[in-house]
Amino acid sequence: MRHQPGQPRRRVTAAIAVLLAAAAAAAVLAGSRPGRAHPAALPLPMPLAWLQLSSAQQTSLDHAEDVLVRRCMRARGLDFVVAPTTVAREFTDPNPYGLLDPAIVTRQGYGLHAATPRSAQESRTPTAAESRALLGTASHAVKMALPGGGYTVENTDGCFSQAQDELYGRAWKVLHYGEETLFARELAQVRQDPDAQKAESSWAACMRASGYRVTALHDVRPDAEQRMAATGSDRAAGRREFGTLWKQAQRDAACQQKTGVVSAYRRAQGTVESALTRPHRGDLARLTSLRTHALALSGRLAGTDH
């Protein structure tokens, strides 16, 4: 999974989210909707789908990382609150292309959430000592070359950095950046495929015929999220907006099925991914191996907070 973009793409711990001004976690605003059952279908196309983690796997890794950060912080005389391990999310992550599974849309619409109120721990401003311990100091900065050129700088004395090294291995970070680079390149190239663009134009025309002004698949969800955010803390308004968007999502999915946009994206991705990943198979295999090791360690750390 990604800080989706992903991917996910991965979750940042609560304390680090404060330091980096990341968005708060999300909570379900409205429940599922009843509807007809749909026949089983192929999974929606997703860049590097075979590398993506399940929600349960990512949750396990997140908890393990939090545990290791807390151990590091305690060794420095500081405390760190470990986020509780939770079950897999009820709502699925959005498809990066903007494609929809009719069966999921029937239950969840676009699967929108409202912001969860932040806890006192999350809202507290970290002290200078906590910030240095978590994120490290410039005196221990190390440059890491990135695939495709450029570099990133990491403070290796930070508990966050050290916890990731312990969980995944030192080589994981560069390989992970490489995966994210490939993910973004694949996403862009598939969107530019002529057949995919033609199908997307037909989808947009189908939506406009139903009164929805849309032009690009990947713009629909950000717009829907903004509309939900505009309801603020008014839960009644939020539920009304959710219902309106739920109806839009039904039409969106129907237009995608009618115009064959999912099939067009799947064909384009098959061609793009095969050529794009061929030179990187060794690195991707190493990344998979490191994740397997990390999942085994996270299993041993499950249920602990120290």
Side-chain angles (χ1 to χ4, degrees):
M1 298 192 62
R2 300 182 173 275
H3 272 306
Q4 288 252 313
Q7 200 12 136
R9 218 144 196 307
R10 75 171 300 286
R11 182 186 57 83
V12 180
T13 57
I16 296 168
V18 174
L19 291 165
L20 302 181
V28 175
L29 178 70
S32 303
R33 298 275 187 137
R36 294 176 302 177
H38 291 267
L42 291 172
L44 294 175
M46 158 86 77
L48 305 177
W50 49 283
L51 283 175
Q52 307 313 309
L53 297 169
S54 70
S55 177
Q57 288 174 323
Q58 189 62 64
T59 296
S60 179
L61 290 174
D62 290 338
H63 178 74
E65 188 174 298
D66 286 343
V67 169
L68 296 174
V69 169
R70 186 171 194 180
R71 288 179 179 177
C72 176
M73 294 287 281
R74 282 180 169 176
R76 302 181 189 193
L78 300 167
D79 199 13
F80 180 78
V81 176
V82 176
T85 301
T86 58
V87 297
R89 292 185 299 275
E90 175 187 355
F91 281 18
T92 56
D93 289 331
N95 179 272
Y97 296 121
L99 302 173
L100 299 173
D101 182 329
I104 293 176
V105 167
T106 297
R107 301 191 304 270
Q108 303 177 352
Y110 286 122
L112 299 170
H113 301 69
T116 302
R118 300 173 78 184
S119 68
Q121 174 67 21
E122 291 175 310
S123 301
R124 180 178 65 83
T125 301
T127 66
E130 289 171 333
S131 178
R132 286 194 301 272
L134 279 170
L135 302 182
T137 58
S139 61
H140 290 78
V142 172
K143 285 186 178 180
M144 293 190 299
L146 297 179
Y151 64 89
T152 185
V153 177
E154 180 181 7
N155 298 333
T156 57
D157 59 331
C159 283
F160 184 48
S161 173
Q162 293 180 4
Q164 287 191 328
D165 286 349
E166 185 175 352
L167 180 60
Y168 296 99
R170 183 65 184 167
W172 171 79
K173 289 167 186 171
V174 171
L175 294 171
H176 178 61
Y177 285 129
E179 178 202 3
E180 291 192 329
T181 298
L182 286 174
F183 186 98
R185 289 173 61 191
E186 182 172 330
L187 194 66
Q189 290 181 28
V190 171
R191 285 175 177 167
Q192 293 167 4
D193 177 83
D195 289 340
Q197 290 185 336
K198 182 179 179 180
E200 187 167 352
S201 294
S202 298
W203 160 83
C206 177
M207 290 291 284
R208 286 194 296 271
S210 299
Y212 298 107
R213 290 189 174 185
V214 297
T215 55
L217 282 162
H218 60 272
D219 287 338
V220 173
R221 185 180 175 88
D223 174 71
E225 289 174 341
Q226 290 178 8
R227 287 165 59 179
M228 286 294 295
T231 65
S233 59
D234 187 337
R235 295 187 66 82
R239 289 184 182 279
R240 287 193 297 271
E241 190 64 65
F242 181 95
T244 298
L245 288 167
W246 184 84
K247 292 179 181 178
Q248 177 182 319
Q250 310 309 304
R251 187 55 191 163
D252 191 346
C255 283
Q256 289 189 24
Q257 293 295 304
K258 179 180 179 180
T259 58
V261 71
V262 175
S263 296
Y265 266 77
R266 181 175 286 113
R267 288 192 297 270
Q269 181 177 281
T271 301
V272 169
E273 184 166 291
S274 177
L276 189 63
T277 60
R278 190 174 297 116
H280 305 281
R281 287 175 179 170
D283 284 345
L284 295 177
R286 290 177 64 206
L287 178 65
T288 301
S289 177
L290 290 175
R291 282 182 173 164
T292 299
H293 171 78
L295 285 168
L297 176 56
S298 70
R300 294 193 293 272
L301 293 173
T304 64
D305 65 351
H306 54 77

